[in-house]
Amino acid sequence: MSIRTTAIVNLKGGVAKTTTAINMAAILAKDHGRRVCIVDGDSQCNTTEFFGIQAAPSANLAKVLRGAGFYADPGEYAASCIQKTQYENVDILPGDETLMDMDLSKVEQGTVNSNILRYLVETVADRYDHI
């Protein structure tokens, strides 16, 4: 089975992106027995909070985006930041508030590795059904 990646994106707030992601993960994991990894890319971190995860300063999405290039295998570094949740078959790469100061200018300046999420998906493809 190949991995499936789904992005839930809308620039407007309050349109149920977090609710959709959490419920989609729960349905895939519980009802369909799929292994799911959620990447919390929202600086409000409501998905991370919902799962009761404390994003470590060295193991969260912002740190991965900024620092993965310093590692020999950026995808493996990103994968090492994924945490288990209390829900069977649902893991998360937590977000934190420092995502707020990241924008496209950081990518253009080269201070953010814009390919890291692709490396992450390639690295963990055999561990999950859905990311």
Side-chain angles (χ1 to χ4, degrees):
M1 179 184 320
S2 65
I3 192 167
R4 178 170 290 168
T5 304
T6 303
I8 301 166
V9 180
N10 193 321
L11 296 178
K12 183 175 180 331
V15 295
K17 297 179 295 284
T18 298
T19 302
T20 300
I22 290 168
N23 283 298
M24 182 183 283
I27 290 167
L28 288 167
K30 186 173 182 191
D31 296 348
H32 298 281
R34 304 289 189 198
R35 295 265 312 136
V36 178
C37 179
I38 296 176
V39 178
D40 188 358
D42 185 353
S43 61
Q44 290 182 335
C45 311
N46 291 325
T47 302
T48 299
E49 277 185 26
F50 172 85
F51 287 109
I53 301 296
Q54 296 295 319
S58 61
N60 61 66
L61 180 59
K63 181 69 173 179
V64 166
L65 291 171
R66 286 188 182 100
F70 298 112
Y71 293 85
D73 186 341
E76 196 54 50
Y77 166 67
S80 74
C81 295
I82 294 172
Q83 298 182 36
K84 293 196 174 299
T85 70
Q86 69 270 35
Y87 297 93
E88 186 176 354
N89 291 332
V90 179
D91 295 344
I92 188 168
L93 176 55
D96 82 335
E97 67 279 350
T98 62
L99 285 167
M100 197 172 306
D101 73 349
M102 298 184 81
D103 58 33
L104 289 178
S105 67
K106 302 260 191 301
V107 173
E108 292 167 355
Q109 294 168 1
T111 58
V112 171
N113 186 340
S114 60
N115 292 314
I116 191 59
L117 293 180
R118 180 174 52 90
Y119 298 145
L120 171 66
V121 171
E122 290 170 357
T123 301
V124 300
D126 60 339
R127 303 177 205 174
Y128 296 100
D129 301 311
H130 295 270
I131 292 188

